[in-house]
Amino acid sequence: MRILILGGTTEASALAARLSGRSEFSPLLSMAGRTSDPRPMPVPTRIGGFGGSTGLGAFLRDERIEAVVDATHPFAAVISRNAAEACGRSRVPLVALRRPAWTPQEGDRWTEVPSMEAAVDALGRAPRRVFLTVGRLELAPFAAAPQHTYVVRTIEPIGDALTAPDVIAIQDRAPFDEAGERRLMERERIDVVVTKNSGGAATYPKILAARSLRLPVIVVKRPGKPPGIEEVATADAALDWLARLHGRTP
């Protein structure tokens, strides 16, 4: 069975590892290419976009793809919509591998907002030291609030993505741990954390550290995803879905 995994997450990597070496599956992992030094994968990998839903549909046909697993980031709304449209037109089975969202726990001081622009507004007018962990491509709106000091952590160099006068850039890659996150926040004298609700364990320690330090956290809610798509929460569940589908294939 030819499988296309739309990747870029730890869940996609975990699924690729589980499929590797299984003779009944022929997986292809597709990455958007936003990280210049991606970790090596145990299955064939392609880098780059498809050219919208039409291009993805043509790819499914040309490559004789029999199933698609959308294991993209919870905030990758465009590719998820394209996958739903392309698979719907091509009648290729599709499952979405979505890690559960974080939910506030006792001791959390969350402000949930619908967008990056709303997160900027939630910071307020008074200068604050902001730990900004939203990804390089989401930094531009914060230039509208130059009074804050931004401690920005990204995988890739931020370049000119945030044109503010006081920016401290940190390059690092998950997973993180609570003790390290707490040390970072104390060292940088952080007043508030801004994050996307990405879910998962790899970056959750910043939430734990903020809770222990009683810091407020501005949490950007996930964008809407295409309705009517079957969802699973783990790589193992996605593998089970593929196995069931394979069992029904003549």
Side-chain angles (χ1 to χ4, degrees):
M1 174 183 281
R2 287 280 287 161
I3 300 165
L4 176 64
I5 306 171
L6 302 174
T9 60
T10 55
E11 291 78 14
S13 301
L15 178 58
R18 284 159 173 77
L19 291 171
S20 176
R22 295 188 57 152
S23 59
E24 70 270 35
F25 298 120
S26 176
L28 173 64
L29 177 63
S30 179
M31 311 281 283
R34 292 176 177 173
T35 301
S36 61
D37 186 25
R39 292 188 175 103
M41 291 292 113
V43 300
T45 304
R46 69 175 296 277
I47 304 293
F50 293 96
S53 64
T54 301
L56 178 53
F59 183 88
L60 299 179
R61 181 186 64 250
D62 294 344
E63 295 296 323
R64 299 184 179 181
I65 299 298
E66 298 170 81
V68 176
V69 180
D70 175 10
T72 57
H73 192 276
F75 281 75
V78 173
I79 183 60
S80 292
R81 184 174 64 248
N82 289 343
E85 293 175 359
C87 288
R89 286 195 305 266
S90 305
R91 298 187 177 181
V92 174
L94 168 67
V95 70
L97 174 49
R98 301 265 180 269
R99 66 183 78 151
W102 299 323
T103 57
Q105 307 297 313
E106 183 177 355
D108 285 332
R109 299 174 59 197
W110 282 20
T111 299
E112 295 186 274
V113 296
S115 66
M116 291 299 159
E117 290 75 15
V120 175
D121 292 340
L123 287 173
R125 295 185 178 181
R128 307 170 85 178
R129 292 184 67 84
V130 182
F131 185 30
L132 196 52
T133 64
V134 298
R136 181 173 56 89
L137 299 179
E138 304 280 11
L139 295 175
F142 294 89
Q147 71 272 26
H148 304 300
T149 296
Y150 294 105
V151 179
V152 182
R153 184 171 66 198
T154 56
I155 296 174
E156 298 289 313
I158 65 171
D160 59 357
L162 177 54
T163 55
D166 199 353
V167 176
I168 300 168
I170 300 172
Q171 276 186 252
D172 206 352
R173 188 195 297 259
F176 302 105
D177 62 78
E178 182 182 355
E181 295 291 69
R182 180 166 180 149
R183 286 194 299 271
L184 186 155
M185 294 179 194
E186 290 177 324
R187 182 184 72 238
E188 299 295 342
R189 295 174 287 114
I190 297 300
D191 297 313
V192 58
V193 178
V194 180
T195 183
K196 297 188 288 192
N197 194 335
S198 300
T203 60
Y204 190 69
K206 65 187 168 189
I207 303 296
L208 296 173
R211 183 187 304 154
S212 69
L213 293 169
R214 299 291 298 151
L215 292 177
V217 182
I218 298 171
V219 181
V220 181
K221 297 178 183 178
R222 295 181 175 190
K225 291 287 188 173
I229 305 299
E230 184 175 353
E231 293 193 10
V232 295
T234 65
D236 286 335
L239 181 58
D240 289 342
W241 181 87
L242 289 167
R244 290 194 303 271
L245 186 64
H246 182 265
R248 295 195 298 267
T249 302

